[in-house]
């Protein structure tokens, strides 16, 4: 008889794990508290417009390929992928913009035009970034975070200084142009930390950016969710939506004996939580929680976000599919997130205009836009504050792109700290998980296997390897491998 496992949540990491565990012969039931599968990668539709509610960037395509290959599939079996060219556009404080092309050759030319000699430094930087990427993706990120010895290899020992130097120090060593510096420091935002506190080893994100490029699945990131759900169902995974887990019940042998789901008890042989790690532990009796409230409060969390999903009654000018508005001071905004948590005075923001590339996102001659302002977690969140910041960014959009858009807004919907808490039980309303700082890397992150309960495991952005969609896919594989290893060991005893 198949061993049963319940998976809490249906985001990327939970879906990944469900596929691996079903393939290994487990009877898998996935429990999603919301009406729609996908966790943060849900979709919002209104009046013919479509919006990816969470992730909008498709980076590191090789990780997606590896995932589907593990099941004898390819991404192209499920969705159509297009490399974006240009990749994205960045607006700066002086009102000018730089558009990042889709090929490395063109990127070198762009750098050289902006700062003579910089293309040579960029080539050296990217050589190091590619090496680190290969080391990370082929080895380190698939480690379960059980022991510090996982990080000790001849390669990492040779690169040890990169763990004690920052991305910022490395980037600014040779590049002097403020604009090029911001472009090179920007990818670490996907890691949820400041360039000044992110180890230089993480420059592999720059290789993901320039070396591998920016891609778009036609129909949006939710197409990847649909693909994973389709794969999971073909492997026998059962999905239950509107299934809120109220508590996790533990027996006298320190094992999960079942779950209360919408107030009804369901026996369970094993549980893997892809839900918020902190929240999952609050579902346990206090004596079985591994980490205290003090522990969580001291952790450096990646930002929360204020998001707007906006339908425009016309096509917009001077924008790209991905557009970054870095026309205010980066460090000042970062301080308001990490150092003195507060609403930023002059926020940087990001905008996704997927209908520039993909006509499935908006009706003909109209534009779909998602705006995102990174924020400190747990800030006061009111309708008045949301409206204030929407007006700030729309005025800047109009000024920088030289057009009027306010009168062409058909509708807007907002999403912020309160919503992250309500929909995802997200700790302090964070959007991305724990920041990838040196003291929160690998074995220093919360553990995948509970140290207090024999058959309880965790996956997702608060454990290894960290925030982001590709790491979430990997986290699901790591968690499933750990379950298989422990299960196999117990079977042989």
């Amino acid at each position: 008889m198949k061993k049963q496992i319940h998976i809490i949540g249906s985001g990327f990491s939970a879906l990944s794990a469900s596929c691996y565990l079903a393939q290994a012969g487990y009877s898998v039931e996935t429990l999603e508290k919301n009406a729609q599968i996908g966790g943060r990668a849900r979709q919002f539709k209104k009046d013919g417009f479509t919006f990816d509610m969470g992730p909008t960037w498709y980076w590191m395509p090789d990780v997606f390929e590896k995932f589907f290959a593990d099941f004898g599939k390819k991404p192209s079996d499920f969705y159509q992928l297009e490399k974006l060219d240009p990749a994205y556009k960045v607006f700066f404080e002086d009102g000018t913009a730089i558009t990042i092309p889709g090929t490395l050759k063109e990127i070198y030319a762009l750098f050289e035009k902006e700062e003579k000699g910089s293309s040579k430094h960029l080539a050296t930087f990217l050589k190091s970034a590619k090496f680190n990427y290969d080391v990370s993706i082929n080895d380190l990120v698939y480690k379960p975070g059980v022991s510090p010895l996982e990080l000790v290899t001849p390669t990492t020992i040779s690169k040890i200084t990169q763990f004690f130097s920052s991305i910022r120090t490395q980037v600014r060593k040779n590049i002097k142009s403020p604009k090029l510096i911001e472009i090179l420091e920007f990818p670490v935002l996907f890691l949820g930390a400041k360039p000044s506190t992110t180890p230089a080893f993480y420059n592999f994100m720059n290789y993901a950016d320039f070396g591998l490029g920016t891609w778009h699945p036609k129909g949006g990131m939710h197409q990847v969710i649909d693909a994973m759900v389709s794969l999971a169902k073909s492997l026998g995974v059962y999905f239950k939506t509107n299934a809120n887990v109220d508590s996790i019940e533990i027996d006298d042998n320190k094992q999960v004996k079942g779950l209360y789901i919408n107030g009804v008890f369901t026996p369970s042989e094993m549980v893997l939580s892809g839900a918020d790690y902190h929240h999952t532990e609050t579902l346990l009796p206090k004596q079985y929680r591994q980490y205290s409230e003090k522990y969580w409060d001291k952790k450096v969390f990646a930002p929360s976000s204020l998001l707007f999903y906006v339908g425009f009654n016309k096509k917009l000018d001077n924008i790209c599919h991905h557009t970054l508005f870095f026309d205010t001071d980066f460090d000042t905004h970062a301080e308001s997130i990490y150092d003195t948590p507060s609403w930023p005075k002059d926020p940087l923001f990001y905008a996704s205009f997927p209908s520039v590339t993909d006509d499935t996102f908006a009706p003909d001659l109209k534009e779909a836009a998602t705006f995102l302002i990174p924020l400190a977690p747990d800030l006061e969140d009111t309708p008045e504050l949301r409206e204030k910041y929407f007006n700030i960014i729309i005025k800047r959009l109009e000024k920088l792109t030289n057009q009027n858009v306010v009168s062409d807004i058909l509708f807007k919907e907002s999403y912020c700290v309160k919503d992250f808490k309500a929909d995802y039980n997200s700790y302090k309303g964070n959007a991305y998980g724990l920041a990838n700082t040196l003291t929160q890397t690998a074995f220093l992150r919360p553990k995948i296997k509970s140290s207090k309960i024999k058959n309880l495991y965790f996956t997702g952005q608060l454990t290894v390897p960290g925030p982001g969609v590709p790491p979430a896919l990997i986290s699901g594989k790591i968690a499933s491998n750990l379950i298989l290893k422990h299960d196999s060991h117990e079977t042989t005893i």
Side-chain angles (χ1 to χ4, degrees):
M1 185 176 176
K2 288 183 177 181
K3 189 162 187 177
Q4 174 204 51
I5 184 166
H6 285 94
I7 297 181
I8 304 174
S10 67
F12 282 108
S13 60
L15 290 176
S16 170
S18 74
C19 291
Y20 285 111
L21 290 166
Q23 183 187 53
Y26 285 77
S27 173
V28 183
E29 182 171 349
T30 298
L31 308 168
E32 170 55 54
K33 74 181 284 286
N34 295 308
Q36 189 181 150
I37 297 291
R40 284 166 166 77
R42 292 181 298 159
Q43 236 176 21
F44 166 60
K45 295 189 176 187
K46 183 173 181 176
D47 299 342
F49 290 83
T50 299
F51 305 89
D52 279 321
M53 293 185 69
T56 56
W57 292 78
Y58 192 106
W59 270 10
M60 302 164 69
D62 52 325
V63 174
F64 296 85
E65 289 164 8
K66 284 180 181 179
F67 169 78
F68 286 108
D70 283 342
F71 304 93
K73 302 290 185 181
K74 304 184 296 293
S76 58
D77 293 331
F78 300 97
Y79 51 87
Q80 178 185 334
L81 205 56
E82 174 187 355
K83 189 175 185 182
L84 296 182
D85 190 1
Y88 54 90
K89 185 173 189 173
V90 187
F91 283 97
F92 297 98
E93 287 189 63
D94 61 3
T96 62
I98 289 179
T99 301
I100 304 299
T103 70
L104 197 49
K105 182 179 178 181
E106 291 174 293
I107 291 170
Y108 284 135
L110 172 70
F111 267 62
E112 194 63 24
K113 182 180 177 183
E114 180 66 26
E115 180 185 329
K116 190 170 179 60
S118 64
S119 62
K120 179 183 176 182
H121 297 307
L122 177 62
T124 301
F125 178 72
L126 289 180
K127 183 179 179 181
S128 166
K130 183 183 186 305
F131 183 87
N132 289 347
Y133 185 88
D134 291 340
V135 170
S136 299
I137 294 303
N138 294 324
D139 190 8
L140 295 184
V141 296
Y142 287 92
K143 302 292 187 184
V146 173
S147 164
L149 294 179
E150 293 170 1
L151 299 181
V152 181
T153 69
T155 302
T156 55
I157 289 172
S158 70
K159 296 283 183 179
I160 192 69
T161 57
Q162 290 194 26
F163 287 95
F164 297 98
S165 175
S166 71
I167 286 278
R168 169 154 291 183
T169 300
Q170 191 179 54
V171 165
R172 298 184 180 212
K173 185 177 180 181
N174 294 308
I175 305 292
K176 304 305 176 189
S177 162
K179 294 177 182 178
L180 298 184
I181 286 170
E182 287 201 24
I183 289 169
L184 288 174
E185 291 183 348
F186 136 72
V188 303
L189 296 179
F190 287 97
L191 301 172
K194 294 191 294 185
S196 59
T197 58
T198 302
F201 186 80
Y202 284 101
N203 67 5
F204 63 72
M205 292 298 293
N206 293 97
Y207 176 71
D209 180 1
F210 289 166
L212 298 176
T214 302
W215 299 74
H216 172 70
K218 187 172 177 63
M221 289 297 288
H222 195 72
Q223 293 300 309
V224 186
I225 292 291
D226 286 343
M228 295 177 76
V229 170
S230 175
L231 174 62
K233 286 182 176 178
S234 74
L235 294 166
V237 177
Y238 174 71
F239 289 89
K240 190 173 183 180
T241 54
N242 298 306
N244 185 56
V245 177
D246 306 305
S247 65
I248 302 172
E249 299 300 301
I250 311 300
D251 66 18
D252 294 337
N253 295 317
K254 298 182 180 179
Q255 294 192 93
V256 173
K257 65 179 179 181
L259 306 168
Y260 274 96
I261 306 168
N262 297 332
V264 178
F265 182 75
T266 300
S268 182
E269 295 181 71
M270 187 178 296
V271 170
L272 170 64
S273 179
D276 180 273
Y277 201 125
H278 168 269
H279 170 73
T280 303
E281 289 221 311
T282 67
L283 302 178
L284 299 165
K286 280 191 176 181
Q287 67 268 33
Y288 294 116
R289 298 174 191 175
Q290 303 168 92
Y291 306 108
S292 67
E293 289 298 319
K294 187 177 179 181
Y295 168 91
W296 290 111
D297 193 52
K298 283 186 174 181
K299 289 295 176 185
V300 179
F301 275 81
S304 184
S305 299
L306 170 56
L307 293 131
F308 296 99
Y309 310 108
V310 185
F312 289 100
N313 196 29
K314 68 176 182 180
K315 301 300 288 184
L316 303 191
D317 299 324
N318 304 320
I319 56 170
C320 276
H321 183 127
H322 297 295
T323 306
L324 300 162
F325 293 83
F326 287 180
D327 53 309
T328 61
D329 186 71
F330 182 99
D331 289 336
T332 301
H333 187 156
E335 284 174 14
S336 71
I337 296 173
Y338 297 103
D339 303 325
T340 53
S342 56
W343 281 85
K345 182 181 178 184
D346 296 306
L348 286 76
F349 66 99
Y350 154 71
S352 171
F353 302 99
S355 46
V356 168
T357 302
D358 187 340
D359 60 10
T360 67
F361 275 85
D364 193 36
L365 300 179
K366 293 177 172 47
E367 207 84 85
T370 297
F371 297 95
L372 183 154
I373 302 173
L375 298 173
D378 220 21
L379 292 183
E380 178 188 16
D381 174 13
T382 66
E384 293 76 19
L385 280 166
R386 296 188 188 196
E387 188 67 20
K388 172 186 174 181
Y389 279 85
F390 181 74
N391 291 332
I392 288 173
I393 64 175
I394 285 297
K395 286 177 183 176
R396 281 176 35 205
L397 169 72
E398 289 187 322
K399 179 181 177 183
L400 291 164
T401 61
N402 194 30
Q403 63 189 316
N404 296 316
V405 301
V406 171
S407 59
D408 291 289
I409 295 174
L410 295 170
F411 64 85
K412 72 173 187 294
E413 300 287 343
S414 64
Y415 201 93
C416 198
V417 173
K418 284 183 177 178
D419 302 298
F420 280 103
K421 291 179 179 180
D423 289 350
Y424 311 125
N425 295 309
S426 173
Y427 182 71
K428 294 186 177 181
N430 81 84
Y432 306 104
L434 282 174
N436 264 337
T437 59
L438 180 61
T439 57
Q440 296 182 171
T441 294
F443 67 94
L444 296 172
R445 299 178 76 82
K447 303 301 182 189
I448 283 181
K449 186 182 187 307
S450 171
S451 61
K452 294 190 175 184
I453 301 167
K454 297 175 184 177
N455 55 347
L456 175 62
Y457 296 80
F458 300 83
T459 186
Q461 59 188 10
L462 292 184
T463 184
V464 291
V469 176
L473 295 181
I474 293 167
S475 184
K477 183 173 185 176
I478 295 171
S480 59
N481 284 343
L482 208 57
I483 289 169
L484 293 173
K485 179 182 176 181
H486 287 174
D487 239 15
S488 173
H489 176 69
E490 289 181 6
T491 302
T492 57
I493 293 176

